[in-house]
Amino acid sequence: MTTLLIRNARLVNEGQIRAGDLLIRDGRIDKIGSSICGAADEEIDADGDWLLPGMIDDQVHFREPGLTHKGSIASESAAAVAGGITSFMDMPNTRPPTLSLAALQEKKAIAAGSAHANYAFHFGAANDNLAAVAALDPCAVAGIKVFMGASTGNLLVDDPAVLERLFACAPTLLIAHCEDTPSITVNEEKWRKTHGDAVPLSAHPLIRDAEACYRSSSLAVALARQHRTRLHVLHLSTARELALFEDRPLAEKHITAEVCVHHLLFDDADYARLGSHLKCNPAVKTRADRDALRQALAGNRLDVIGTDHAPHTLAEKAAGYFQAPAGLPLAQDALPALMELVHDGCIDLPTLVAKTSHRVADLFRIAERGYLREGYWADLVLLGPRPPAAAPAPILSRCGWSPFAGRRWRSEVRSTIVSGQLAWHRGQLHAACRGQALAFLR
Ligand code: DOR
């Protein structure tokens, strides 16, 4: 039996912030109180720092197997715990893609041996694997990912008959990347005519434009309404799409939405500075889109915040507009970056915690995580003010770069605790920490 006592914290949970202590015993939250008496095997004096349930990131690309020159489950989950993420759900566009039970099992085995955070995997839908999708055990996967727009990897589902059947047969959450590929192709050709291969990166949000997003996400929503599918639309990037989603509590709806860190923190003025380092799908759009997404965080149209952590090497990113792959490494900056929205008064801290932890656990029906509750697994983050003179932490993501280089966050992750184990503490990775498989109550 091991115990870890966190004293003098400000606990952020379920809409409230309260001073108190939290005792962990054998991986779980044993006790929460204003002052817990007695000794523990180990103690952390939080000295007034915030203690929150760790972020549950519903969208990451950790690249293993097959693309480990970009990242691995070990390297990217190390970056994740440094950024306050205690659980992750990994995407199927690996090599091989996660389109079969065998591929799913391989990923789970890798994660069991090497993930520093708790883990689950999304199963991929393709034009030719509907039988495997329909036969899935809903508790064996986080969700079923459908690329309704082509992105990194070749998982586009573009056959309307397959889409209809998929929405009708999905045995658990269908999670969708929505961008309309035909209209993107038309835009690409327009730009190619005038610029050849030398299309500027600033054209990315005009090629993968708001119309392409709206067409595809409105189709997804229409199909989900028709078939009563449990649909979760990923990474909304435009103001216009917000109207497709209901501003109602999660329990009252079957269509939900995610927004990502980069669509909240960047806008199209940043292409001039970052070039291909900001290229991602869907594209980062205008300041007005960014501001509308920020404003929507106060309500229920945007249910959760993810990172869409998607590392590519600097060499890959150095190619021209058409060749540079889309995606940014974001996990290590996750909570400090999102805390900027709190410091700027866009949202309050309990709302941020709701979108990064509580609602994610509710939405995916994750057992015993996502809240500070006695008996739940101890997935925790201590967050405090970042000392202005603190040196930047080394980048743990294998790709070795960050789109946030040079940004000085006002908060830092002091400690991350995964299933009761210290995973990140005082700027150091505790490499022995191993995450657990997420359990789903479905
Ligand atoms: O920007 C992106 N990168 N969007 C995606 O949909 C895929 C991801 C990746 O895997 O690189």
Side-chain angles (χ1 to χ4, degrees), residues 59-63 67 70 91 93-94 145 147 149-153 177 179 204 208 234-235 262-263 278-283 308-312 317 325-328:
Q59 185 180 191
V60 303
H61 300 264
F62 282 178
R63 308 299 191 205
L67 296 163
K70 297 177 197 271
M91 284 294 160
N93 57 339
T94 42
K145 171 77 183 280
F147 281 90
S151 193
T152 312
H177 177 128
E179 288 185 289
H204 192 50
R208 289 192 171 249
L234 297 170
H235 40 43
H262 44 310
H263 296 119
L278 191 57
K279 184 182 176 192
C280 56
N281 301 336
D308 196 6
H309 174 83
H312 297 285
K317 280 288 199 183
L328 328 175

Side-chain angles (χ1 to χ4, degrees), residues 120-141:
F121 295 95
H122 296 299
F123 197 80
N127 281 320
D128 58 3
N129 76 337
L130 280 201
V133 168
L136 279 174
D137 168 1
C139 294
V141 295

Side-chain angles (χ1 to χ4, degrees), residues 63 66-72 95 311-313 316 398-399:
R63 308 299 191 205
L67 296 163
T68 50
H69 66 288
K70 297 177 197 271
S72 65
R95 275 197 205 141
H312 297 285
T313 67
E316 290 164 338
R398 184 162 294 161
C399 67

